[in-house]
Amino acid sequence: MRTDIIDAAARLLQEQGVRAVTTRAVAEAAGVQAPTIYRLFGDKDGLIDAVAEHVMATYVATKTTEAADDPVAELRAGWRVHIEFGVANPDLFRLLHTSPRPSPATAAGIDVLRRRIRRLAAAGLLRVDEQRALDMIHAAGTGTVFALLATPPGERDPGLADALFDAVCTGLLTTTAPARDDGVATAAVTFLTVLADLPALTDAERALMAEWLTRSLARLRNP
């Protein structure tokens, strides 16, 4: 029954847009009573979250994003899936990224991005700290989708997404341009990544070292 309700809501969203996804309409399309939706999902927001997770999981399952030996290629593949998903599901994408309430589906996507950025940092490829990298990529990816959605399909630049990815990576990765800090920031970011695994240090010593490295990175960004 839960699956039938999610499928019905997803069809309404895809075919008629966000406004069509009312509790009454979904209940009718799924052949259930409205109280059943509240019992299974809590409220309409809970239903939308379930729809988002279902649609995203179904879409991502059709894509290959792993590039185990190349964290940069893995990041690029994930970027493309994000852009393609947003363009293919405009109503859902707008709903997820304009709602004041954080969506579990969005949070799950950010967690995946965070793990990919950690791989870059561990490989010594980041020239900024991990949180800055995550914020930049997430903002750029979301903005790219909205820019494409604001353009009529026949007028969209097919190379825009890849060009923006390359532009963002120029500021993030040591592999795209010479580092202005001669590798100091890259070393600090990499050290922060492995700090928790260093032996023979107390928690207090790790915290102090993390504070020093974070302060140094902030000074390098804003001399």
Side-chain angles (χ1 to χ4, degrees):
M1 185 179 294
R2 179 184 174 88
T3 300
D4 290 343
I5 292 171
I6 292 173
D7 287 342
R11 285 196 305 272
L12 284 171
L13 182 65
Q14 182 72 29
E15 296 170 2
Q16 301 180 40
V18 174
R19 295 190 177 186
V21 186
T22 65
T23 302
R24 175 180 296 180
V26 173
E28 291 179 357
V32 301
Q33 298 296 316
T36 303
I37 294 178
Y38 292 108
R39 177 171 58 83
L40 292 175
F41 301 97
D43 55 18
K44 180 181 174 181
D45 287 337
L47 173 60
I48 292 296
D49 287 339
V51 170
E53 291 175 359
H54 168 71
V55 174
M56 290 180 71
T58 301
Y59 187 87
V60 172
T62 67
K63 304 293 180 179
T64 301
T65 59
E66 294 300 320
D69 297 328
D70 188 344
V72 178
E74 181 184 54
L75 183 67
R76 183 185 291 275
W79 167 278
R80 285 174 174 166
V81 169
H82 176 78
I83 303 301
E84 291 168 2
F85 174 82
V87 172
N89 300 274
D91 290 304
L92 180 58
F93 189 88
R94 290 190 184 98
L95 188 63
L96 290 175
H97 290 85
T98 58
S99 172
R101 188 177 69 88
S103 164
T106 301
I110 291 176
D111 284 342
V112 171
L113 176 58
R114 183 176 286 109
R115 290 195 294 271
R116 288 175 177 153
I117 290 172
R118 171 55 61 93
R119 288 194 64 212
L120 292 167
L125 298 176
L126 280 186
R127 63 169 59 181
V128 301
D129 62 80
E130 292 178 62
Q131 187 60 46
R132 171 66 69 89
L134 186 148
D135 290 342
M136 290 177 65
I137 295 172
H138 177 63
T142 301
T144 299
V145 174
F146 278 124
L148 290 170
L149 293 179
T151 306
E155 300 175 15
R156 291 172 185 166
D157 178 357
L160 179 65
D162 282 341
L164 285 170
F165 178 83
D166 291 338
V168 172
C169 284
T170 296
L172 297 181
L173 304 180
T174 61
T175 56
T176 56
R180 291 178 297 175
D181 50 58
D182 296 324
V184 175
T186 300
V189 169
T190 307
F191 197 11
L192 269 172
T193 303
V194 301
L195 183 58
D197 299 322
L198 290 179
L201 293 177
T202 67
D203 290 343
E205 288 169 337
R206 287 191 177 89
L208 182 59
M209 190 171 294
E211 180 184 347
W212 288 342
L213 291 167
T214 301
R215 191 187 307 165
S216 297
L217 283 168
R219 181 64 62 86
L220 286 169
R221 287 203 303 260
N222 301 290

